[in-house]
Structure formats: structure tokens, C-alpha cells
Amino acid sequence: MGDPDPKPPQAPTPPAKPQAAKPPRPSTLPQKPQPALVPKGPISDFAGLARRLATHIRDGKRDDVLRAVKDLTDTDRDRLEAVLIPTLERDRLRPHGIELRRVIRYVRHPPPVPQPGPFTTDGGTNVDFKTGKLDGERSVSAKRGEHSSLTGDRDGYSLLYLGPDALDCRWLQMIWRDAVLAFPASTGSKAKRIAVRQRLDHPATMDMPYFLSTDPDRARKPALCRWHADAVNLKSPFYDAVIRRSGSALYMFDAPSPTIPPDKARAHFASASPPDSIVSGFHAEAFLVRGLDVLYKVTVEITWTQTKGNESPTPRIDLTGTKASAIRGQHRARLAIQAPEFTWLPGPLVSEPLPEDDFDRIQDLRNTGWPKGTSDGQRLSDVAQQADTGQVQFLRARYLEPDIHKGTPFHAGLNVGGLKSAQGETGYIDAKGTYSNPALPISRDGPPPPVAVIVGSTAFHQDSVDYTRDWPVATMRHEMRHVSQNADAIGWLLRWRDDFTSATFQAWLDTAFSKDLTSARYQMARAGVVGAVSALEVLAYTEGFITGVHFLPASVDPALLEERKRWPTALRELDGAGTRLVDNLLASSAPPIQQAALARIRRFVCDAATAAEKDALVKWLTAVMDPAKVTPPPTAAAIALVKATFSRQSAWLKAVLDQVTKACSP
């Protein structure tokens, strides 16, 4: 064979352009070992570990961080969380430090595995969620008008999540309720709508109530609503009772009953001044939660319009759905009290506490005493019912004598006895079970401190005087105002805890109220931190004063002015408020506190007091302002006692009298 044919000549090949080096293929070239997120053995640098884990979260590796945190011991997790704020508070990694704190708390308290009971459902109409498709594998849908074997023919709704991760998902349903009495126009008055104030107890315990939302703007401003986690126990906030679940589906059903039950609606319509109708609502935001994350939100609006003869109407049910990534700050604030182990749920900072509503007027005006030998515990049980302790958090709506703790050490809730001289006292129970007043137990974590109310024996009898009900009932209302003040302080404490700050609680409060450090709200919030309780006492005595007005004699009896312990309850409480305004408050602090007290008196006069009560109050206020002009005249000793007590309070008395005598708006 000869040589092959020669190839034609080729043009010279130009030099190759330099190219960026290609990364080595992981499957063929060895990788440099990466350091473990958590080193083996004892950890000496928790601050460095915090920074490293936060960096991985920033880089989208939260699942790796989650596994690493799970591998830590309980002690090391606690030490890691303790260094997060001092290490990352002012760092660019701060938002990732907050996320790392969520991871730690989630590992510490993951959602419990639900144990749903059996039930069946039928009927209903599909609801079209235009955003119900989360991705190619996951979706949320709903039905309304559905019925279940648990709720009979009551119309309800259901939510269904389909996805391969359904066993890792939960429904969290946050709710608020309201009810409005609609009255027709009548001669001399316009049509009006009155929001109903009502307590609803948590199904797990009488010590975890929530209240109907009454703010006029509640329908437009969720921040004003009194939210509650719709759960059957205090171990978990999740809606885990009426559900069905499998590896690919999570279904929940709910059929709320009317906010005003039919029997109570019938009572309203049978009253002397019946409403035309009662419009009540159930409002919910149901969140689909997977692990640490919120995926979706369903808004539920249910309305009942009850009329005479139709006290069990068919509800109107509206459902809307949208993708979501967080719950509200108001939701997180409620969970911090109701389910404090679940502070890892995503959302903005725990919201500011909502101020308590005014208390309803006393309905039971009996002013009898008790038979000889009646225990103070039984007396206090009667007084708690008459004062309606159910209007505040931390106290029950009904106390039987066995529910009331006797003597010391004091317990959370209602106590009797154990005080040397004071008629009543309200404080906190710290994590060790120790009672403190007025100091608010300040800690970075743990359940919020419960509140204890003590009513002493001197609220029932003193020396030879065995008091009738007016004095202990006013004492109880006085302490109830302290309970609401303590609840407000606890709310601020929970907001501070949630903030990613190293500032002390007092310094943080000063910053939060920096634009108005003399406001009544600020003075009340800080009272338990610095021990400045006069502001609290002024408003508590004001509550006792207006309670005592219900029991004032119609005319001034000079004999009742002879001894302080025989004075009408209203006068003793009025003096308590005035003394603290004049003698105990700083000049800069007194005006806003006095303004708040006078505003409370004004609301009572215009919204609750009867004409006879106002008339009696004017007579008694005039008497203590100038006791010498009382007819028939008191004794010289009585006049001297009244003057010695009230002479320094003339401006306070005049301001109170002005609130009572001014005409109220129609």
C-alpha cells in the first residue's frame, strides 16, 4: 500500500483566546472539607457559633442550621440563645440572629403531634380561592355551609391543604368576636348601636378568658381587636381538635355558634328596652403553618343577625384566601400570654397591650351584711360575684369559697386574709412562686408572671364595725383596676422580651415613651419597675369611688361623718385618690393622672350613673367641701375631721364636682 494522499495545506491556527477556568466537577475532584457548623466536644466560643449559624441562615442554609441546633444539648442551646443579642444586636447579621432565635425556640418547643377525634362531614359549597395554588404540588381550598357529626345542623366551613408535607403542617386559627345591640330611634333619642361587653372563657381553664371586641373601629383596624388562639388546651395554640390528616392532606372543620346564644338573645328581646336586632360576628384568620414557616392565610367572616322570633338564624359565611408568610403582632402578643412556649411563630414584634375596657356598673346593689360566723372566704366569694371579677384577665368569672386561697403564701388568683392592715392588695407571683408588690418580676423568658389579688379581713370588719357589702365590693373593684394595670405592665414586658435588644426594661420603656414621659400610660407601665405606685393608686381609688357612689345615701347624714371607718365608701375612696394626687405625685406627673381619673368619672356619670346617684353625689361632694353648711350641722369633731382630711384637696374636689354637674352630650 502506498502512502495516503497528502492533505491540502491549512491556514495557520490563530492562538486560542484565554478562557476562565471551569470549576472542577464535584464528582471527579476532591473537595476541601468544610468545618462542621457545630464543633464536636465542648463549645468554648458561643458568640462565634452564633455568628457562624446566623451567616448560614443569611446564605439560605436554615435547614442545616436547624439540624445543627437540634444536635446541641439543652444547656448549650440556652447558652447560645443567651449570647445572640449581645453578639448580633448592632450587627448586619441582626435579622438573621432573630431568625436563629426562632430556630432555637422551635427546637425547644416544636408543635405537638395532634390526636384528632373521629367525625364526619357532609354538604357545603366550594369556595374559589384564586390564590389557592401554592405550587405544582400544594394547594388550599375551602367549603362553606358544611355540616359535621359534632355540630349537627349548624352551618360551618372547612379548610383543606393538599401537599406531600401535610404531616408537617398545622392550622393556627386566631379569632375575635363581637356583638352589637341595634336600638331603634325613639322620642327624644336617635337610633343607636351598643357593643356588648362579654367574657368568653378558654375551654381548658377558667383562668384564660378573652373578651368581645368593643372598640368602634374594630371592623377596620385589626390592631384594636381582642384576638385569641382557637385551641382546646393550653399546651398548644394550634387548631388540632376537629381535623383529619394524612401524608398528603390536612383538613379542618369549624362551625361556631352565635356569639350571643339564643337564650340570651331572647332575654334581650324580652327586656323593658329591647333592641331591634342583635348583629354578632365570628372573625378568624386561619394560618397554614409548616415547620417554622407560615404558608397561607384564610380570612373567615361569619355574621348572625338575630331578631325576635329568629334567635337562631342561618349565618352568613365569607371566606377569602391569600398567600402569607407571617402572623400579626397582635397574634404574637396573645400567644405570649396564652401559649408562651410558641414565641417562634413568624411575625412582627409583639404588639403593644390593649388598654382594658371600663368596668360595667354594679348590677347587684344589695348592701346587706352577713350572718355571724360567715367566713371571710364565703364573704369574698359573694363579693367577687357582686363586683363581677370576670371583667379582668387573671381572675375567674365565678369564685366558690374553695377556689379562694386562704392566708400566706399568696397564690395566683384570689386570696383572702394574710394582710396586717390593708383592705386589699394586688401583686405578681414570680417564677419561684414568690409574691411581689409592686415590683414586676422582670425576666427575659418563661411564662408571664400571673397576678394575685388579696382582700384582707379589714375589708369585712374593723374593730367593732362589721361592714356591709359596699366597702368590700368597692375594695374588690379597686383591686380589679390594679389587675388591669398589671395586665398592661405584663403586656409591655412581653413586647420588650420579644424585641432584639440588650436594653434594660426600664431603659427600653423610656425609649418607647420618649415623646411623652409624663403620660398616664407611661407612669402606669413603669410603676412596677421603679416602685412609683401613686399613679396606679389614684386610678384604683377612682374606681373604688365610683363603685361607692352606687351605695351613697340619698341625703347627707351628719352622724356618718363622725368616724372615718363609718364614712360612706365613696368618701373614703375619694380621699384615697385625692391624697395621692396632692401628697405623693410629682408636680409634672399629677396633671395627666388627674385628667385620666376625671375622664373615668365623666364616663361613669354620663354612661352608667342614675339621676338619683348623681344627685346624691353632688350633695356629698358639697358636704365635704364645706361640712359646716350641712343641715342639720355635724358635730365640731366631725367638721374638724372632714376639714383635716379634705382641706388640701379643694382643687381635686372642685374638679370632680365639675365632672358630675356638667351636662352630658345626648
Side-chain angles (χ1 to χ4, degrees), residues 101-407:
R101 183 175 65 175
R102 283 210 314 124
V103 170
I104 295 170
R105 293 177 176 181
Y106 173 81
V107 170
R108 190 181 289 134
H109 297 295
V113 177
Q115 301 295 327
F119 67 100
T120 58
T121 55
D122 61 76
T125 303
N126 291 325
V127 177
D128 180 20
F129 289 161
K130 298 186 183 303
T131 60
K133 198 78 170 175
L134 276 63
D135 56 35
E137 295 182 294
R138 299 168 176 82
S139 65
V140 177
S141 60
K143 281 186 175 184
R144 63 184 172 190
E146 201 167 5
H147 297 161
S148 86
S149 57
L150 299 176
T151 55
D153 59 359
R154 223 163 49 215
D155 279 18
Y157 63 94
S158 64
L159 308 179
L160 174 64
Y161 170 67
L162 297 177
D165 48 7
L167 288 178
D168 295 326
C169 294
R170 305 287 188 280
W171 287 108
L172 173 73
Q173 181 161 263
M174 303 299 300
I175 67 172
W176 62 274
R177 283 180 176 261
D178 65 344
V180 174
L181 305 180
F183 291 89
S186 60
T187 303
S189 65
K190 300 178 180 178
K192 59 184 178 181
R193 295 167 61 84
I194 299 177
V196 176
R197 175 177 164 83
Q198 181 177 306
R199 170 188 174 121
L200 300 170
D201 281 289
H202 189 284
T205 171
M206 291 187 292
D207 299 316
M208 187 57 71
Y210 72 104
F211 298 89
L212 299 189
S213 293
T214 56
D215 193 285
D217 290 333
R218 63 192 177 279
R220 298 186 299 108
K221 298 179 180 178
L224 301 173
C225 299
R226 300 193 182 279
W227 292 94
H228 186 75
D230 195 5
V232 295
N233 60 57
L234 300 181
K235 297 179 181 178
S236 167
F238 295 102
Y239 193 94
D240 283 345
V242 191
I243 64 169
R244 290 194 288 262
R245 58 193 291 121
S246 67
S248 59
L250 174 61
Y251 170 95
M252 66 161 277
F253 174 84
D254 196 7
S257 56
T259 302
I260 303 298
D263 59 332
K264 290 189 176 181
R266 281 189 284 271
H268 279 294
F269 294 128
S271 65
S273 300
D276 264 1
S277 63
I278 304 172
V279 181
S280 60
F282 171 93
H283 316 269
E285 292 183 353
F287 296 90
L288 179 66
V289 180
R290 181 185 63 194
L292 278 155
D293 301 317
V294 167
L295 304 181
Y296 201 81
K297 178 180 76 173
V298 178
T299 301
V300 182
E301 294 288 339
I302 302 180
T303 305
W304 296 268
T305 301
Q306 296 164 300
T307 55
K308 187 174 183 178
N310 185 25
E311 290 84 5
S312 300
T314 300
R316 173 177 173 175
I317 303 177
D318 294 309
L319 305 169
T320 56
T322 184
K323 294 180 181 179
S325 59
I327 64 177
R328 297 181 185 273
Q330 293 76 28
H331 300 158
R332 301 191 69 245
R334 179 60 185 178
L335 292 177
I337 293 176
Q338 185 179 340
E341 293 181 346
F342 295 86
T343 53
W344 49 261
L345 282 157
L349 186 67
V350 161
S351 64
E352 298 178 3
L354 288 175
E356 297 279 342
D357 289 339
D358 287 338
F359 301 146
D360 295 336
R361 69 168 279 134
I362 300 292
Q363 298 298 315
D364 178 0
L365 296 181
R366 284 179 299 160
N367 199 18
T368 58
W370 286 270
K372 291 293 183 182
T374 304
S375 69
D376 286 351
Q378 183 57 56
R379 295 174 192 234
L380 184 52
S381 173
D382 296 340
V383 164
Q385 184 174 13
Q386 195 165 349
D388 192 5
T389 54
Q391 294 184 77
V392 292
Q393 295 278 358
F394 300 108
L395 292 182
R396 294 184 178 184
R398 179 73 178 98
Y399 279 92
L400 301 177
E401 184 179 7
D403 302 323
I404 299 172
H405 184 261
K406 282 81 175 176

Side-chain angles (χ1 to χ4, degrees), residues 60-93:
K61 300 177 181 178
R62 193 185 68 180
D63 287 348
D64 294 340
V65 173
L66 180 60
R67 285 189 290 269
V69 171
K70 285 180 179 178
D71 289 339
L72 293 173
T73 65
D74 292 343
T75 300
D76 284 348
R77 274 195 293 270
D78 293 344
R79 294 180 65 185
L80 175 62
E81 183 174 355
V83 304
L84 288 181
I85 290 176
T87 303
L88 302 174
E89 177 184 8
R90 294 176 177 84
D91 194 276
R92 287 179 296 179
L93 290 170

